[in-house]
Amino acid sequence: MNFIEQIIEDDIKEGKNGARVHTRFPPEPNGYLHIGHAKSICLNFGLAQKYGGKTNLRFDDTNPVKEDVEYVDSIKEDIRWLGFQWDAEFFASDYFEQLYLWAEQLILKGLAYVDDSTQEEISQQRGVPTKPGTESPFRERGIEENLDLFRRMRKGEFPDGSKVLRAKIDMSSPNMHMRDPIMYRILHAEHHRTGNQWCIYPMYDYAHGESDSIEGITHSICTLEFEIHRPLYDWFVEALEIHHPQQIEFARLNLSYTVMSKRKLLQLVQEKHVMGWDDPRMPTISGLRRRGYSPRAIRNFADTIGVAKRDNVIDVSLLEFHVREDLNKVAERTMAILNPVKLVIDNYPENTTEILHAVNNPENPDAGTREIPFAKELWIEQDDFMENPPKKFFRLSPNSEVRLKYAYIIRCTHVDKDTDGNITAIHCQYFPETKSGLPDSNRKVKATIHWLPVQHVQTAEIRLFDRLFLVPDPDNAEEGKTFLDFINPNSMKIVNGFIEPHISKENAATYYQFERIGYFCIDRDATPDKLVFNKTVSLKQ
Ligand code: ATP
Ligand code: MG
């Protein structure tokens, strides 16, 4: 049991909130979700599932400038894809009127005031944590005047930045967030949902707890950087005497070789370092999906890392481990050749095609079998042959024997070369009695290699990915440099390879294992005429 579950179980025992559990996932619709959000989603929805509670999806859309419906749609798609369904969908902007009325209440209670100070003056008044701040000259404005000014702020009588509404708390608090924080600012900006209805917008700290309260949220889970905001969260709901959700903080997920902030991901997209938000190299949920990661692998990863109270960095190889583990169970096997070289079986009959049978997934008998044509001329991987092999090379080399997967044992006899010395064909003999499944098929060889029949393949573009960043911590790798300085220039390599003839864009499985190579999936760039695959992850680390 993790510490959040402990808190919740204690609350249930005490009958707090009528023993209800109600969480929420509150994204700001200013970008696509990333794997860090996936952690938060799994946590919030997982807790509700475990304790028979509910989870709301709330778009935290209090900042009109950066938000967009495109993001709202993508967020919903990503949560559903991860396997979760919210109980109710809300927008913080739905609460603008209520938030405004509550702000008037705080003014009436003498707990909020309109301040004409400039932004610089306000930050000067706040001062530094080690010394008390100074009070604004507008702090003692009368209630009537504050109310009048605040109403006129709403009416649009004042330009941007000319006034703010501040909570009247404590200018000498050691917690800077309590030094009369700003509740409202003037912003004549169009909002993606409320249009031009408002020209004042609530700040995060004022809007968030109140939104939680309106929805009856019991446990408001957020990341560690909000721990220091918690006294303010508590102050607002207490001052307003409304339902008081409990804010609980946990450490945000950081992954090695990854940047994880929407702002930086946006920069990668806008500056075209990647193909878009769903580029398979991006840590966005849509990128991981396009890369061929399964939702279950991501959920298993999120469960395994658990929740921590201290910031830490998780090795991206742990995520890849879960991807392999899940895809091994579900991926359809197929043979593919990425770097072909021709293999000719000299003693195999000409113009003959034999149909062999291969299981689609040895981990899942229900996945059935498929037919693969076999003939005299095959493609094999260049890597599986060496003319002058070192001692421990067990694959094909002159006079050595290997098994062709699902087919026969062969012995290499010689190679053909062009005038430059490049190998143009590898010649071999096959042993008919060694066909897979026949009594003699148990003859021992040290390696089995995959292949495809030259006459019966289709070509495909295959995109091979490496890490997007060259260093484990691109944000802090070197003084004076930014994450952009550590982008891996070779993070995508495109090869034209061969795959089995039966696969098409229309009938493609969601996940493939290219035998002996790795996991792959069809990319959305594929067309009926041209298949495009993404490499998800290699078979082994
Ligand atoms: P970013 O800093 O990447 O822009 P954010 O925190 O601003 O992320 P929000 O849309 O505000 O993004 O986040 C929605 C929810 O997801 C919040 O509850 C936030 O705490 C959580 N979250 C965001 N990033 C992470 C992370 N790396 N690990 C865990 N939870 C996260
Ligand atoms: Mg944010």
Side-chain angles (χ1 to χ4, degrees):
M1 185 164 33
N2 64 50
F3 76 96
I4 300 180
E5 292 169 337
Q6 187 67 60
I7 294 172
I8 292 178
E9 292 194 10
D10 289 347
D11 288 348
I12 291 173
K13 256 189 232 129
E14 285 168 24
K16 194 173 163 188
N17 302 307
R20 273 185 321 116
V21 174
H22 202 151
T23 59
R24 87 285 173 262
F25 175 66
E28 186 179 354
N30 62 349
Y32 282 64
L33 298 182
H34 52 59
I35 180 82
H37 294 112
K39 170 68 210 171
S40 173
I41 291 167
C42 292
L43 181 60
N44 279 294
F45 283 89
L47 288 167
Q49 280 172 358
K50 181 163 180 182
Y51 296 107
K54 291 184 171 167
T55 306
N56 290 357
L57 169 60
R58 183 194 323 133
F59 292 100
D60 191 352
D61 58 348
T62 50
N63 181 356
V65 192
K66 293 185 190 157
E67 295 159 2
D68 201 278
V69 273
E70 175 197 348
Y71 300 132
V72 170
D73 295 340
S74 78
I75 287 169
K76 291 201 252 184
E77 185 186 353
D78 288 349
I79 299 172
R80 285 201 196 97
W81 178 79
L82 274 176
F84 298 106
Q85 182 56 52
W86 48 95
D87 291 282
E89 175 184 325
F90 295 110
F91 290 80
S93 56
D94 295 338
Y95 310 136
F96 281 170
E97 185 66 33
Q98 176 66 71
L99 293 170
Y100 173 85
L101 293 173
W102 277 337
E104 285 201 351
Q105 267 185 36
L106 291 180
I107 293 173
L108 287 168
K109 287 185 175 181
L111 294 175
Y113 61 99
V114 173
D115 195 336
D116 301 1
S117 306
T118 64
Q119 204 151 51
E120 298 84 80
E121 285 164 344
I122 289 176
S123 87
Q124 222 142 53
Q125 292 157 16
R126 288 235 171 88
V128 292
T130 46
K131 274 195 295 194
T134 50
E135 294 182 356
S136 161
F138 303 96
R139 198 172 197 262
E140 298 309 325
R141 258 181 175 149
I143 287 174
E144 284 310 310
E145 189 188 354
N146 279 322
L147 204 55
D148 173 61
L149 288 172
F150 187 51
R151 287 178 176 165
R152 288 166 58 200
M153 277 168 66
R154 175 182 183 164
K155 280 194 196 137
E157 290 186 21
F158 308 113
D160 288 2
S162 60
K163 289 180 172 33
V164 292
L165 184 72
R166 290 177 78 176
K168 194 170 181 178
I169 306 181
D170 179 2
M171 286 307 289
S172 59
S173 171
N175 182 341
M176 300 295 279
H177 296 282
M178 300 299 274
R179 293 188 181 180
D180 291 11
I182 296 172
M183 293 169 58
Y184 273 90
R185 61 199 165 133
I186 302 173
L187 205 61
H188 291 83
E190 188 167 314
H191 185 279
H192 74 108
R193 292 188 80 240
T194 57
N196 292 309
Q197 211 180 322
W198 294 89
C199 61
I200 55 171
Y201 289 95
M203 303 301 287
Y204 173 91
D205 280 318
Y206 177 61
H208 200 85
E210 282 57 22
S211 302
D212 283 343
S213 180
I214 291 170
E215 293 173 22
I217 300 303
T218 55
H219 300 87
S220 174
I221 297 163
C222 61
T223 43
L224 228 44
E225 66 271 25
F226 290 100
E227 186 171 19
I228 193 156
H229 297 241
R230 184 167 11 112
L232 184 54
Y233 183 106
D234 293 339
W235 188 91
F236 279 127
V237 289
E238 273 160 29
L240 290 166
E241 300 173 72
I242 54 178
H243 165 66
H244 191 155
Q246 181 179 0
Q247 178 180 304
I248 305 169
E249 307 87 14
F250 75 104
R252 63 195 297 124
L253 167 65
N254 299 303
L255 271 188
S256 61
Y257 294 95
T258 309
V259 296
M260 198 110 74
S261 123
K262 279 182 277 190
R263 185 177 58 77
K264 289 173 187 158
L265 297 176
L266 179 65
Q267 204 175 346
L268 289 171
V269 173
Q270 284 178 337
E271 296 177 11
K272 301 210 186 310
H273 299 290
V274 293
M275 299 182 281
W277 281 102
D278 69 347
D279 185 297
R281 292 163 292 180
M282 291 279 272
T284 50
I285 296 179
S286 51
L288 300 177
R289 173 167 65 231
R290 188 171 172 192
R291 176 92 177 236
Y293 283 27
S294 64
R296 193 171 39 203
I298 295 173
R299 293 198 304 265
N300 290 345
F301 167 73
D303 287 349
T304 307
I305 57 176
V307 287
K309 280 186 176 180
R310 290 253 181 85
D311 277 319
N312 58 0
V313 180
I314 305 286
D315 200 313
V316 69
S317 61
L318 182 64
L319 176 58
E320 292 168 350
F321 166 84
H322 284 283
V323 173
R324 286 189 191 97
E325 194 184 59
D326 187 47
L327 294 187
N328 182 43
K329 294 185 200 131
V330 298
E332 201 168 296
R333 272 52 170 177
T334 188
M335 294 198 283
I337 304 288
L338 305 194
N339 297 299
V341 59
K342 194 179 276 184
L343 179 81
V344 182
I345 309 172
D346 292 322
N347 63 337
Y348 194 86
E350 303 268 353
N351 303 322
T352 302
T353 299
E354 205 177 333
I355 298 298
L356 303 178
H357 295 271
V359 293
N360 286 331
N361 185 349
E363 304 289 321
N364 174 15
D366 294 341
T369 60
R370 67 189 187 282
E371 298 183 340
I372 312 173
F374 182 85
K376 188 181 179 79
E377 291 196 342
L378 307 173
W379 295 117
I380 64 169
E381 291 287 352
Q382 287 174 20
D383 281 356
D384 283 334
F385 177 81
M386 278 186 96
E387 199 177 5
N388 299 300
K391 253 211 170 104
K392 294 236 158 136
F393 186 83
F394 297 125
R395 289 163 283 162
L396 203 58
S397 59
N399 300 316
S400 84
E401 290 184 3
V402 298
R403 172 174 292 286
L404 294 173
K405 190 143 196 191
Y406 308 117
Y408 302 93
I409 291 176
I410 55 165
R411 175 184 291 150
C412 173
T413 53
H414 63 286
V415 298
D416 296 337
K417 290 184 183 176
D418 63 16
T419 47
D420 296 329
N422 301 310
I423 293 173
T424 52
I426 299 164
H427 289 268
C428 66
Q429 299 278 315
Y430 87 120
F431 305 98
E433 71 283 4
T434 62
K435 185 172 178 178
S436 292
L438 292 183
D440 260 2
S441 67
N442 286 332
R443 189 163 134 191
K444 287 271 175 290
V445 283
K446 287 219 167 107
T448 297
I449 67 172
H450 64 282
W451 50 273
L452 284 172
V454 169
Q455 297 295 321
H456 307 275
V457 288
Q458 54 179 335
T459 54
E461 174 178 319
I462 298 169
R463 299 175 178 172
L464 306 172
F465 301 107
D466 196 356
R467 296 190 164 137
L468 188 54
F469 293 99
L470 295 164
V471 293
D473 185 0
D475 278 323
N476 307 295
E478 208 180 308
E479 184 120 353
K481 295 202 168 175
T482 75
F483 68 103
L484 296 172
D485 296 312
F486 299 99
I487 293 180
N488 178 0
N490 302 311
S491 59
M492 179 164 75
K493 198 175 132 200
I494 295 179
V495 301
N496 284 304
F498 296 125
I499 60 157
E500 286 182 33
H502 68 91
I503 297 173
S504 69
K505 180 177 159 73
E506 289 69 32
N507 71 8
T510 313
Y511 308 107
Y512 284 103
Q513 183 193 100
F514 288 2
E515 299 199 47
R516 301 183 57 240
I517 302 176
Y519 294 98
F520 290 77
C521 68
I522 293 234
D523 187 73
R524 61 175 173 74
D525 286 346
T527 65
D529 300 326
K530 186 183 176 208
L531 289 177
V532 178
F533 285 89
N534 294 322
K535 181 168 180 180
T536 309
V537 68
S538 57
L539 274 191
K540 294 197 190 84
Q541 205 178 321

